[in-house]
Amino acid sequence: MQAIGKSQRRVDALDKVLGRAAYPGDLTRPDQLHMKILFAGRPHAIVKEIDTSKAAALEGVCLILTAKDVPCNEYGLQIPDQPVLCGPGSSKPYTDRVRFVGDQVAAVVAESEEIAAAACKLIEVTYEDLPPVLDPFESLQEGAFLIHPDKDSNIFQSYRLRKGDLKQGFQDADVIVEGEYHTPVQEHIFLQPEAGLAYYDEEGRVVVAAGGQWAHEEQEQIAHSLGLELDQVRVIHPAIGGAFGGREDISVQIVLGLAVLRLREKGIDRPVKIVWSREESIIGHHKRHAYHIKTRWGATRDGKLTAAEVDIVADGGAYMYTSNKVLLNAFIACTSVYDIPNIKVDARAVATNKVPGGAFRGFGGPQGTFSAESQMNKLAEELGLDPVEFRLKNVLHKGSLTSVSTSLPGIVNITDVLERCAEESFWEKRQGSWEIQEAHPEPEGFQRGVGFACGLKNIGFSAGYQENSWATVELYGSETIEEVIVRHAAAEVGQGTHTAIVQMTAEAVGVPVEKVRIISADTAETRDSGSVSASRMTFMAGNSVYGAAKAALKKWEEEERPAIATYQYLAPKTTKLDPDTGAGKPNFAYGYTAQAVELLVDPETGQIVVTRVYSTHDVGRAINPDQVRGQIEGGVVQALGYVLTEKFIQEGGYVRTDKLSTYLIPTVQDIPEVLQPVVMENPDPNGPWGALGMAEMPFISLAPAVTAALHDATGIWFDDFPLTPERVLRGLGKI
Amino acid sequence: MAHHMISLLVNGQKEKLLVPSNLTLLHVLRDMLGLTGTKNGCEAGECGACTVLLDGEPVNSCMVLAPELDGREVITVEGLAKDGQLTPLQEAFAELSAVQCGYCTPGMLMSATALLRRKPHPTQQDVQEALVGNLCRCTGYQRIIDAVMVASRTGGAE
């Protein structure tokens, strides 16, 4: 291995430290115009009338777009259930409604951003307010107000699982633990708010340059709404300032494309730029779903799980986004990594008039895992067993049947991952069983606790989707290969995928990394890579560049110059789940994770200080070890924000935390004293050089590890978070 | 809107500009001078992505009005490397994976540069205090702290 397994410097490092990397808001073109969006600003209403006459009369206003200007007024990643612009006279039924505060009603294009903003204020919209549906349980009720009147109910998606004999399972149990868990909404707070630039290129294509996670999917959605052929639209990804799932759905792309399209029809051939403010970003894009999970687990006295019953309700917000897929992940994660003979799960994602729920690192995994791992920690306590020991008695092994009645793919080394985490952190093995080590003395005024949790997360798209990714490898030179170009569309959102792809290409071709250059981020230059999500890109891109390199090398040997080959990697097939039993083979690879946390809590103030985190992951093979550790460190701190401070408040459908001063993410002073990534490398049979995906794994089980540590410190279980001082004090009965 | 004529030094270069009263330094840099290395993350002084040095002190450029700049000196991320030569701090950020998406990086570099100029051999706690106004959502911060500490041993801010 000459190119992989090394902490190669990022290919974009130089541009980023010199301030040269161009993010969407940094792009300018001569003669550009500026766009501003008029957001609904109300949770549920019918738009009766939009009067743009005053706005249009303002000097410097070039174009005002409303629903009637959208050729095909619908879009959506999973289903096209959201209007591009909400209002009357549209091409699609029920698109005259706004369903959350961030729905877009009009877009103004003007000579300056100030003029566009002023014009937005002059647009007169007449609304007929509808009752907002805010509670997902109300939304589920028969006769609830239909948020999408063309649908039969407010349920976006439901899943059902029946394995074994639940009644018998609970009869066999000596101990039964019931729990009701609520996980909160989380906002991505990528540092770069949405922005973009649209224009026509020389080939007459509508070009949209904006941050995203899947250029070819964005191209498809823009073309669909604009009524254009796919090759009439070109998507370019500039440098992207973070994503974490938050750029998986469309934000500014369609309206930007629409603006240049309609301007050209008016004889105005000028680029259009938009930059969202932080507040617009927070209101305008989806969030991690809030989940409500009611569950009951049984175990025998000697610590074997007998039954689990889980009821899941996910608050999907106004539109589908990826609620259906997020729910599938929570559905699988809600029994975590355990061999349970009898299981019943009912899961629903439902619409409400709130900011949509969608993709965010972990994608349903953290929610399902929080309930499962909290149940395990409570059962361990009830049974008087060590939480690590209790888990080891119940983990899935190679060949064991999961909740979906099939065995796990690949190497199944959950036991090894758990034991490694225990050993690295606060446990030691005495006479063959794991026990917590003697505690350090705690500082004056604090109570100390340690906690453990684990989990799994799929790698790649699930449940019957034929996972695929394209790559092209080009070899230049005469006698020897002097230059290698790899074309791959993977979105570089900060995770380092371009560097990993360059390393894997160099490895596959057998040249030093310095000879490899990546061409990416442009639908005109690359073929479809799939999304940077589901911890899939290293796995998928690695396999595709490997295939392309092999084919290119064959041509090289046959004296073709340059030797160019394109290859589509197809991942192992998966299946849909049976609608009645949930049985199926939904995934082709998983990553396993175990995390141990130590914290201090001040019982007088409710303040929590997480002091040590050991985050253990089998990554198959670390293509770039520094980047792998960087993902673990970043993922853990993001998860600490989720469990400790990040409180996203919506009241009556209105967002109350649309600023960084009211929605609090961790600062440099909020990180643990010790954050230890523990990286294991047991090659996956299908992974490129054995590599698995790993970027979501550090998020999966951290919340239940923290609440377990808090219980260890205080004796109280916290089934809701974030663990703000107020919540902690309430839990302790102090207020 | 009233306008003001101001003269200032930006990365060593004299600039004479006519600016409206309500324009911020952030927009002077990005829109008037084309220095887009300074990032806009919130325009409320809450994220630190727009940090620059004003007469050597780190400031959120979104919180400084342009008319205040007359006769003063601004250094941005574009003004750190001299003749393409990275500063030890930039070198350490690139080498130690202190950069992921990179959007917070210019602001981090400016806050850390100010720290190292003021205190060439800081403790980890000094670094955390100096960077507390700079949010990062990708890295978990430890690599950024490590990069500043390494730079303090390999030559500091210059």
Side-chain angles (χ1 to χ4, degrees), chain B residues 1 6 15 17 29 36 46 57 67 70 77 82 87 89 95 107 120 125 127 130 134 145-146 149:
Chain B
M1 182 69 63
I6 57 168
E15 304 285 354
L17 303 166
L29 294 171
T36 55
E46 292 169 355
E57 289 296 317
D70 195 35
V77 67
K82 298 283 184 288
T87 64
L89 193 62
E95 193 53 34
Q125 198 183 335
V127 176
N134 293 84
I145 298 170
D146 293 347
M149 297 301 282

mmCIF file with all atom_site columns, all heavy atoms in Angstrom, chain B residues 1 6 15 17 29 36 46 57 67 70 77 82 87 89 95 107 120 125 127 130 134 145-146 149:
data_model
loop_
_atom_site.group_PDB
_atom_site.id
_atom_site.type_symbol
_atom_site.label_atom_id
_atom_site.label_alt_id
_atom_site.label_comp_id
_atom_site.label_asym_id
_atom_site.label_entity_id
_atom_site.label_seq_id
_atom_site.pdbx_PDB_ins_code
_atom_site.Cartn_x
_atom_site.Cartn_y
_atom_site.Cartn_z
_atom_site.occupancy
_atom_site.B_iso_or_equiv
_atom_site.pdbx_formal_charge
_atom_site.auth_seq_id
_atom_site.auth_comp_id
_atom_site.auth_asym_id
_atom_site.auth_atom_id
_atom_site.pdbx_PDB_model_num
ATOM 1   N N   . MET B 1 1   ? -28.630 57.918 1.920  1.00 0.00 ? 1   MET B N   1
ATOM 2   C CA  . MET B 1 1   ? -27.542 57.426 2.784  1.00 0.00 ? 1   MET B CA  1
ATOM 3   C C   . MET B 1 1   ? -26.293 58.286 2.618  1.00 0.00 ? 1   MET B C   1
ATOM 4   O O   . MET B 1 1   ? -25.838 58.507 1.503  1.00 0.00 ? 1   MET B O   1
ATOM 5   C CB  . MET B 1 1   ? -27.228 55.966 2.402  1.00 0.00 ? 1   MET B CB  1
ATOM 6   C CG  . MET B 1 1   ? -26.162 55.304 3.232  1.00 0.00 ? 1   MET B CG  1
ATOM 7   S SD  . MET B 1 1   ? -26.659 54.986 4.941  1.00 0.00 ? 1   MET B SD  1
ATOM 8   C CE  . MET B 1 1   ? -28.030 53.835 4.681  1.00 0.00 ? 1   MET B CE  1
ATOM 9   N N   . ILE B 1 6   ? -12.854 57.313 2.918  1.00 0.00 ? 6   ILE B N   1
ATOM 10  C CA  . ILE B 1 6   ? -11.922 56.783 3.902  1.00 0.00 ? 6   ILE B CA  1
ATOM 11  C C   . ILE B 1 6   ? -10.629 56.312 3.222  1.00 0.00 ? 6   ILE B C   1
ATOM 12  O O   . ILE B 1 6   ? -10.645 55.899 2.060  1.00 0.00 ? 6   ILE B O   1
ATOM 13  C CB  . ILE B 1 6   ? -12.521 55.592 4.707  1.00 0.00 ? 6   ILE B CB  1
ATOM 14  C CG1 . ILE B 1 6   ? -12.974 54.473 3.762  1.00 0.00 ? 6   ILE B CG1 1
ATOM 15  C CG2 . ILE B 1 6   ? -13.664 56.045 5.600  1.00 0.00 ? 6   ILE B CG2 1
ATOM 16  C CD1 . ILE B 1 6   ? -13.303 53.163 4.458  1.00 0.00 ? 6   ILE B CD1 1
ATOM 17  N N   . GLU B 1 15  ? -5.772  51.934 0.324  1.00 0.00 ? 15  GLU B N   1
ATOM 18  C CA  . GLU B 1 15  ? -7.055  51.965 -0.373 1.00 0.00 ? 15  GLU B CA  1
ATOM 19  C C   . GLU B 1 15  ? -7.766  53.252 -0.018 1.00 0.00 ? 15  GLU B C   1
ATOM 20  O O   . GLU B 1 15  ? -7.786  53.668 1.147  1.00 0.00 ? 15  GLU B O   1
ATOM 21  C CB  . GLU B 1 15  ? -7.947  50.780 0.053  1.00 0.00 ? 15  GLU B CB  1
ATOM 22  C CG  . GLU B 1 15  ? -7.333  49.411 -0.138 1.00 0.00 ? 15  GLU B CG  1
ATOM 23  C CD  . GLU B 1 15  ? -7.309  48.954 -1.590 1.00 0.00 ? 15  GLU B CD  1
ATOM 24  O OE1 . GLU B 1 15  ? -7.883  49.649 -2.457 1.00 0.00 ? 15  GLU B OE1 1
ATOM 25  O OE2 . GLU B 1 15  ? -6.691  47.896 -1.844 1.00 0.00 ? 15  GLU B OE2 1
ATOM 26  N N   . LEU B 1 17  ? -11.524 54.833 -0.420 1.00 0.00 ? 17  LEU B N   1
ATOM 27  C CA  . LEU B 1 17  ? -12.853 54.356 -0.803 1.00 0.00 ? 17  LEU B CA  1
ATOM 28  C C   . LEU B 1 17  ? -13.943 55.306 -0.358 1.00 0.00 ? 17  LEU B C   1
ATOM 29  O O   . LEU B 1 17  ? -13.839 55.936 0.705  1.00 0.00 ? 17  LEU B O   1
ATOM 30  C CB  . LEU B 1 17  ? -13.127 52.991 -0.154 1.00 0.00 ? 17  LEU B CB  1
ATOM 31  C CG  . LEU B 1 17  ? -12.149 51.843 -0.418 1.00 0.00 ? 17  LEU B CG  1
ATOM 32  C CD1 . LEU B 1 17  ? -12.405 50.709 0.571  1.00 0.00 ? 17  LEU B CD1 1
ATOM 33  C CD2 . LEU B 1 17  ? -12.270 51.358 -1.846 1.00 0.00 ? 17  LEU B CD2 1
ATOM 34  N N   . LEU B 1 29  ? -14.508 44.574 2.401  1.00 0.00 ? 29  LEU B N   1
ATOM 35  C CA  . LEU B 1 29  ? -13.520 43.586 1.976  1.00 0.00 ? 29  LEU B CA  1
ATOM 36  C C   . LEU B 1 29  ? -14.060 42.715 0.842  1.00 0.00 ? 29  LEU B C   1
ATOM 37  O O   . LEU B 1 29  ? -13.433 42.575 -0.208 1.00 0.00 ? 29  LEU B O   1
ATOM 38  C CB  . LEU B 1 29  ? -13.117 42.694 3.160  1.00 0.00 ? 29  LEU B CB  1
ATOM 39  C CG  . LEU B 1 29  ? -12.366 43.396 4.289  1.00 0.00 ? 29  LEU B CG  1
ATOM 40  C CD1 . LEU B 1 29  ? -12.231 42.456 5.496  1.00 0.00 ? 29  LEU B CD1 1
ATOM 41  C CD2 . LEU B 1 29  ? -10.983 43.866 3.830  1.00 0.00 ? 29  LEU B CD2 1
ATOM 42  N N   . THR B 1 36  ? -12.493 37.861 -0.849 1.00 0.00 ? 36  THR B N   1
ATOM 43  C CA  . THR B 1 36  ? -13.550 36.958 -0.374 1.00 0.00 ? 36  THR B CA  1
ATOM 44  C C   . THR B 1 36  ? -13.030 35.881 0.575  1.00 0.00 ? 36  THR B C   1
ATOM 45  O O   . THR B 1 36  ? -13.793 35.012 0.998  1.00 0.00 ? 36  THR B O   1
ATOM 46  C CB  . THR B 1 36  ? -14.261 36.282 -1.559 1.00 0.00 ? 36  THR B CB  1
ATOM 47  O OG1 . THR B 1 36  ? -13.268 35.643 -2.357 1.00 0.00 ? 36  THR B OG1 1
ATOM 48  C CG2 . THR B 1 36  ? -15.021 37.291 -2.394 1.00 0.00 ? 36  THR B CG2 1
ATOM 49  N N   . GLU B 1 46  ? -21.464 36.544 15.775 1.00 0.00 ? 46  GLU B N   1
ATOM 50  C CA  . GLU B 1 46  ? -21.678 35.347 16.596 1.00 0.00 ? 46  GLU B CA  1
ATOM 51  C C   . GLU B 1 46  ? -20.872 34.129 16.162 1.00 0.00 ? 46  GLU B C   1
ATOM 52  O O   . GLU B 1 46  ? -20.777 33.166 16.919 1.00 0.00 ? 46  GLU B O   1
ATOM 53  C CB  . GLU B 1 46  ? -23.176 35.000 16.596 1.00 0.00 ? 46  GLU B CB  1
ATOM 54  C CG  . GLU B 1 46  ? -23.982 36.048 17.344 1.00 0.00 ? 46  GLU B CG  1
ATOM 55  C CD  . GLU B 1 46  ? -25.489 35.928 17.159 1.00 0.00 ? 46  GLU B CD  1
ATOM 56  O OE1 . GLU B 1 46  ? -25.943 35.080 16.368 1.00 0.00 ? 46  GLU B OE1 1
ATOM 57  O OE2 . GLU B 1 46  ? -26.202 36.691 17.812 1.00 0.00 ? 46  GLU B OE2 1
ATOM 58  N N   . GLU B 1 57  ? -5.604  43.924 16.155 1.00 0.00 ? 57  GLU B N   1
ATOM 59  C CA  . GLU B 1 57  ? -6.538  43.251 17.067 1.00 0.00 ? 57  GLU B CA  1
ATOM 60  C C   . GLU B 1 57  ? -7.569  42.451 16.256 1.00 0.00 ? 57  GLU B C   1
ATOM 61  O O   . GLU B 1 57  ? -8.071  42.938 15.241 1.00 0.00 ? 57  GLU B O   1
ATOM 62  C CB  . GLU B 1 57  ? -7.298  44.292 17.914 1.00 0.00 ? 57  GLU B CB  1
ATOM 63  C CG  . GLU B 1 57  ? -6.453  44.980 18.961 1.00 0.00 ? 57  GLU B CG  1
ATOM 64  C CD  . GLU B 1 57  ? -5.939  44.005 20.010 1.00 0.00 ? 57  GLU B CD  1
ATOM 65  O OE1 . GLU B 1 57  ? -6.717  43.158 20.459 1.00 0.00 ? 57  GLU B OE1 1
ATOM 66  O OE2 . GLU B 1 57  ? -4.737  44.084 20.341 1.00 0.00 ? 57  GLU B OE2 1
ATOM 67  N N   . PRO B 1 67  ? -17.025 53.663 8.027  1.00 0.00 ? 67  PRO B N   1
ATOM 68  C CA  . PRO B 1 67  ? -16.485 54.995 8.340  1.00 0.00 ? 67  PRO B CA  1
ATOM 69  C C   . PRO B 1 67  ? -15.472 54.985 9.498  1.00 0.00 ? 67  PRO B C   1
ATOM 70  O O   . PRO B 1 67  ? -14.642 55.896 9.591  1.00 0.00 ? 67  PRO B O   1
ATOM 71  C CB  . PRO B 1 67  ? -17.732 55.804 8.709  1.00 0.00 ? 67  PRO B CB  1
ATOM 72  C CG  . PRO B 1 67  ? -18.835 55.127 7.986  1.00 0.00 ? 67  PRO B CG  1
ATOM 73  C CD  . PRO B 1 67  ? -18.492 53.673 7.997  1.00 0.00 ? 67  PRO B CD  1
ATOM 74  N N   . ASP B 1 70  ? -11.150 54.833 8.720  1.00 0.00 ? 70  ASP B N   1
ATOM 75  C CA  . ASP B 1 70  ? -10.265 55.863 8.173  1.00 0.00 ? 70  ASP B CA  1
ATOM 76  C C   . ASP B 1 70  ? -8.952  55.908 8.953  1.00 0.00 ? 70  ASP B C   1
ATOM 77  O O   . ASP B 1 70  ? -8.941  56.030 10.180 1.00 0.00 ? 70  ASP B O   1
ATOM 78  C CB  . ASP B 1 70  ? -10.970 57.226 8.237  1.00 0.00 ? 70  ASP B CB  1
ATOM 79  C CG  . ASP B 1 70  ? -10.256 58.241 7.370  1.00 0.00 ? 70  ASP B CG  1
ATOM 80  O OD1 . ASP B 1 70  ? -9.727  57.849 6.305  1.00 0.00 ? 70  ASP B OD1 1
ATOM 81  O OD2 . ASP B 1 70  ? -10.189 59.424 7.772  1.00 0.00 ? 70  ASP B OD2 1
ATOM 82  N N   . VAL B 1 77  ? -7.007  37.190 5.755  1.00 0.00 ? 77  VAL B N   1
ATOM 83  C CA  . VAL B 1 77  ? -6.323  35.912 5.499  1.00 0.00 ? 77  VAL B CA  1
ATOM 84  C C   . VAL B 1 77  ? -5.439  35.994 4.257  1.00 0.00 ? 77  VAL B C   1
ATOM 85  O O   . VAL B 1 77  ? -4.371  35.373 4.200  1.00 0.00 ? 77  VAL B O   1
ATOM 86  C CB  . VAL B 1 77  ? -7.352  34.755 5.391  1.00 0.00 ? 77  VAL B CB  1
ATOM 87  C CG1 . VAL B 1 77  ? -8.229  34.896 4.146  1.00 0.00 ? 77  VAL B CG1 1
ATOM 88  C CG2 . VAL B 1 77  ? -6.676  33.395 5.411  1.00 0.00 ? 77  VAL B CG2 1
ATOM 89  N N   . LYS B 1 82  ? 3.385   35.455 2.626  1.00 0.00 ? 82  LYS B N   1
ATOM 90  C CA  . LYS B 1 82  ? 4.154   36.457 1.876  1.00 0.00 ? 82  LYS B CA  1
ATOM 91  C C   . LYS B 1 82  ? 4.838   35.746 0.713  1.00 0.00 ? 82  LYS B C   1
ATOM 92  O O   . LYS B 1 82  ? 5.539   34.754 0.918  1.00 0.00 ? 82  LYS B O   1
ATOM 93  C CB  . LYS B 1 82  ? 5.212   37.113 2.782  1.00 0.00 ? 82  LYS B CB  1
ATOM 94  C CG  . LYS B 1 82  ? 4.616   37.873 3.991  1.00 0.00 ? 82  LYS B CG  1
ATOM 95  C CD  . LYS B 1 82  ? 4.039   39.230 3.594  1.00 0.00 ? 82  LYS B CD  1
ATOM 96  C CE  . LYS B 1 82  ? 3.548   40.025 4.796  1.00 0.00 ? 82  LYS B CE  1
ATOM 97  N NZ  . LYS B 1 82  ? 2.291   39.502 5.399  1.00 0.00 ? 82  LYS B NZ  1
ATOM 98  N N   . THR B 1 87  ? 2.517   31.014 6.373  1.00 0.00 ? 87  THR B N   1
ATOM 99  C CA  . THR B 1 87  ? 3.032   31.236 7.737  1.00 0.00 ? 87  THR B CA  1
ATOM 100 C C   . THR B 1 87  ? 3.065   29.880 8.443  1.00 0.00 ? 87  THR B C   1
ATOM 101 O O   . THR B 1 87  ? 2.367   28.941 8.033  1.00 0.00 ? 87  THR B O   1
ATOM 102 C CB  . THR B 1 87  ? 2.112   32.189 8.534  1.00 0.00 ? 87  THR B CB  1
ATOM 103 O OG1 . THR B 1 87  ? 0.841   31.554 8.703  1.00 0.00 ? 87  THR B OG1 1
ATOM 104 C CG2 . THR B 1 87  ? 1.934   33.531 7.830  1.00 0.00 ? 87  THR B CG2 1
ATOM 105 N N   . LEU B 1 89  ? 1.663   29.045 10.996 1.00 0.00 ? 89  LEU B N   1
ATOM 106 C CA  . LEU B 1 89  ? 0.297   28.731 11.430 1.00 0.00 ? 89  LEU B CA  1
ATOM 107 C C   . LEU B 1 89  ? -0.510  28.121 10.285 1.00 0.00 ? 89  LEU B C   1
ATOM 108 O O   . LEU B 1 89  ? -1.193  27.092 10.459 1.00 0.00 ? 89  LEU B O   1
ATOM 109 C CB  . LEU B 1 89  ? -0.370  30.027 11.928 1.00 0.00 ? 89  LEU B CB  1
ATOM 110 C CG  . LEU B 1 89  ? -1.658  29.872 12.692 1.00 0.00 ? 89  LEU B CG  1
ATOM 111 C CD1 . LEU B 1 89  ? -1.466  29.088 13.980 1.00 0.00 ? 89  LEU B CD1 1
ATOM 112 C CD2 . LEU B 1 89  ? -2.231  31.266 13.014 1.00 0.00 ? 89  LEU B CD2 1
ATOM 113 N N   . GLU B 1 95  ? -1.253  20.924 7.574  1.00 0.00 ? 95  GLU B N   1
ATOM 114 C CA  . GLU B 1 95  ? -0.571  19.659 7.816  1.00 0.00 ? 95  GLU B CA  1
ATOM 115 C C   . GLU B 1 95  ? -1.296  18.790 8.849  1.00 0.00 ? 95  GLU B C   1
ATOM 116 O O   . GLU B 1 95  ? -1.306  17.576 8.761  1.00 0.00 ? 95  GLU B O   1
ATOM 117 C CB  . GLU B 1 95  ? 0.870   19.934 8.271  1.00 0.00 ? 95  GLU B CB  1
ATOM 118 C CG  . GLU B 1 95  ? 1.784   18.738 8.259  1.00 0.00 ? 95  GLU B CG  1
ATOM 119 C CD  . GLU B 1 95  ? 1.828   17.992 6.925  1.00 0.00 ? 95  GLU B CD  1
ATOM 120 O OE1 . GLU B 1 95  ? 1.713   18.648 5.880  1.00 0.00 ? 95  GLU B OE1 1
ATOM 121 O OE2 . GLU B 1 95  ? 1.960   16.748 6.968  1.00 0.00 ? 95  GLU B OE2 1
ATOM 122 N N   . GLY B 1 107 ? -11.099 32.845 9.617  1.00 0.00 ? 107 GLY B N   1
ATOM 123 C CA  . GLY B 1 107 ? -11.336 33.510 10.901 1.00 0.00 ? 107 GLY B CA  1
ATOM 124 C C   . GLY B 1 107 ? -10.491 32.904 12.016 1.00 0.00 ? 107 GLY B C   1
ATOM 125 O O   . GLY B 1 107 ? -9.930  33.617 12.856 1.00 0.00 ? 107 GLY B O   1
ATOM 126 N N   . PRO B 1 120 ? 3.597   34.533 22.097 1.00 0.00 ? 120 PRO B N   1
ATOM 127 C CA  . PRO B 1 120 ? 4.181   33.543 21.178 1.00 0.00 ? 120 PRO B CA  1
ATOM 128 C C   . PRO B 1 120 ? 4.129   32.103 21.697 1.00 0.00 ? 120 PRO B C   1
ATOM 129 O O   . PRO B 1 120 ? 4.172   31.178 20.902 1.00 0.00 ? 120 PRO B O   1
ATOM 130 C CB  . PRO B 1 120 ? 5.631   34.013 21.035 1.00 0.00 ? 120 PRO B CB  1
ATOM 131 C CG  . PRO B 1 120 ? 5.609   35.457 21.396 1.00 0.00 ? 120 PRO B CG  1
ATOM 132 C CD  . PRO B 1 120 ? 4.544   35.601 22.445 1.00 0.00 ? 120 PRO B CD  1
ATOM 133 N N   . GLN B 1 125 ? -5.055  26.458 27.187 1.00 0.00 ? 125 GLN B N   1
ATOM 134 C CA  . GLN B 1 125 ? -6.157  27.289 27.687 1.00 0.00 ? 125 GLN B CA  1
ATOM 135 C C   . GLN B 1 125 ? -6.153  28.677 27.024 1.00 0.00 ? 125 GLN B C   1
ATOM 136 O O   . GLN B 1 125 ? -7.213  29.217 26.708 1.00 0.00 ? 125 GLN B O   1
ATOM 137 C CB  . GLN B 1 125 ? -6.033  27.423 29.200 1.00 0.00 ? 125 GLN B CB  1
ATOM 138 C CG  . GLN B 1 125 ? -7.334  27.869 29.843 1.00 0.00 ? 125 GLN B CG  1
ATOM 139 C CD  . GLN B 1 125 ? -7.182  28.059 31.334 1.00 0.00 ? 125 GLN B CD  1
ATOM 140 O OE1 . GLN B 1 125 ? -6.305  27.466 31.975 1.00 0.00 ? 125 GLN B OE1 1
ATOM 141 N NE2 . GLN B 1 125 ? -8.031  28.907 31.904 1.00 0.00 ? 125 GLN B NE2 1
ATOM 142 N N   . VAL B 1 127 ? -5.169  29.284 24.057 1.00 0.00 ? 127 VAL B N   1
ATOM 143 C CA  . VAL B 1 127 ? -5.674  29.081 22.696 1.00 0.00 ? 127 VAL B CA  1
ATOM 144 C C   . VAL B 1 127 ? -7.197  28.991 22.727 1.00 0.00 ? 127 VAL B C   1
ATOM 145 O O   . VAL B 1 127 ? -7.899  29.612 21.924 1.00 0.00 ? 127 VAL B O   1
ATOM 146 C CB  . VAL B 1 127 ? -5.065  27.805 22.060 1.00 0.00 ? 127 VAL B CB  1
ATOM 147 C CG1 . VAL B 1 127 ? -5.662  27.554 20.686 1.00 0.00 ? 127 VAL B CG1 1
ATOM 148 C CG2 . VAL B 1 127 ? -3.547  27.922 21.986 1.00 0.00 ? 127 VAL B CG2 1
ATOM 149 N N   . ALA B 1 130 ? -8.643  32.357 23.175 1.00 0.00 ? 130 ALA B N   1
ATOM 150 C CA  . ALA B 1 130 ? -8.496  33.218 21.997 1.00 0.00 ? 130 ALA B CA  1
ATOM 151 C C   . ALA B 1 130 ? -9.456  32.826 20.879 1.00 0.00 ? 130 ALA B C   1
ATOM 152 O O   . ALA B 1 130 ? -9.845  33.661 20.069 1.00 0.00 ? 130 ALA B O   1
ATOM 153 C CB  . ALA B 1 130 ? -7.055  33.154 21.493 1.00 0.00 ? 130 ALA B CB  1
ATOM 154 N N   . ASN B 1 134 ? -14.788 31.856 17.639 1.00 0.00 ? 134 ASN B N   1
ATOM 155 C CA  . ASN B 1 134 ? -14.752 31.289 16.288 1.00 0.00 ? 134 ASN B CA  1
ATOM 156 C C   . ASN B 1 134 ? -15.390 29.901 16.299 1.00 0.00 ? 134 ASN B C   1
ATOM 157 O O   . ASN B 1 134 ? -14.819 28.944 16.814 1.00 0.00 ? 134 ASN B O   1
ATOM 158 C CB  . ASN B 1 134 ? -13.302 31.167 15.805 1.00 0.00 ? 134 ASN B CB  1
ATOM 159 C CG  . ASN B 1 134 ? -12.651 32.520 15.604 1.00 0.00 ? 134 ASN B CG  1
ATOM 160 O OD1 . ASN B 1 134 ? -12.149 33.123 16.555 1.00 0.00 ? 134 ASN B OD1 1
ATOM 161 N ND2 . ASN B 1 134 ? -12.660 33.005 14.388 1.00 0.00 ? 134 ASN B ND2 1
ATOM 162 N N   . ILE B 1 145 ? -6.652  23.484 17.840 1.00 0.00 ? 145 ILE B N   1
ATOM 163 C CA  . ILE B 1 145 ? -5.817  23.821 19.008 1.00 0.00 ? 145 ILE B CA  1
ATOM 164 C C   . ILE B 1 145 ? -4.401  23.267 18.800 1.00 0.00 ? 145 ILE B C   1
ATOM 165 O O   . ILE B 1 145 ? -3.407  23.984 18.987 1.00 0.00 ? 145 ILE B O   1
ATOM 166 C CB  . ILE B 1 145 ? -6.432  23.221 20.301 1.00 0.00 ? 145 ILE B CB  1
ATOM 167 C CG1 . ILE B 1 145 ? -7.819  23.802 20.561 1.00 0.00 ? 145 ILE B CG1 1
ATOM 168 C CG2 . ILE B 1 145 ? -5.505  23.476 21.506 1.00 0.00 ? 145 ILE B CG2 1
ATOM 169 C CD1 . ILE B 1 145 ? -8.589  23.085 21.673 1.00 0.00 ? 145 ILE B CD1 1
ATOM 170 N N   . ASP B 1 146 ? -4.325  22.016 18.369 1.00 0.00 ? 146 ASP B N   1
ATOM 171 C CA  . ASP B 1 146 ? -3.014  21.396 18.158 1.00 0.00 ? 146 ASP B CA  1
ATOM 172 C C   . ASP B 1 146 ? -2.197  22.184 17.130 1.00 0.00 ? 146 ASP B C   1
ATOM 173 O O   . ASP B 1 146 ? -0.984  22.362 17.298 1.00 0.00 ? 146 ASP B O   1
ATOM 174 C CB  . ASP B 1 146 ? -3.168  19.947 17.665 1.00 0.00 ? 146 ASP B CB  1
ATOM 175 C CG  . ASP B 1 146 ? -3.781  19.033 18.728 1.00 0.00 ? 146 ASP B CG  1
ATOM 176 O OD1 . ASP B 1 146 ? -3.857  19.458 19.900 1.00 0.00 ? 146 ASP B OD1 1
ATOM 177 O OD2 . ASP B 1 146 ? -4.184  17.909 18.382 1.00 0.00 ? 146 ASP B OD2 1
ATOM 178 N N   . MET B 1 149 ? -0.765  25.248 18.683 1.00 0.00 ? 149 MET B N   1
ATOM 179 C CA  . MET B 1 149 ? 0.342   24.901 19.590 1.00 0.00 ? 149 MET B CA  1
ATOM 180 C C   . MET B 1 149 ? 1.596   24.519 18.800 1.00 0.00 ? 149 MET B C   1
ATOM 181 O O   . MET B 1 149 ? 2.709   24.930 19.161 1.00 0.00 ? 149 MET B O   1
ATOM 182 C CB  . MET B 1 149 ? -0.068  23.738 20.513 1.00 0.00 ? 149 MET B CB  1
ATOM 183 C CG  . MET B 1 149 ? -1.234  24.042 21.451 1.00 0.00 ? 149 MET B CG  1
ATOM 184 S SD  . MET B 1 149 ? -0.948  25.426 22.577 1.00 0.00 ? 149 MET B SD  1
ATOM 185 C CE  . MET B 1 149 ? 0.097   24.633 23.795 1.00 0.00 ? 149 MET B CE  1
#
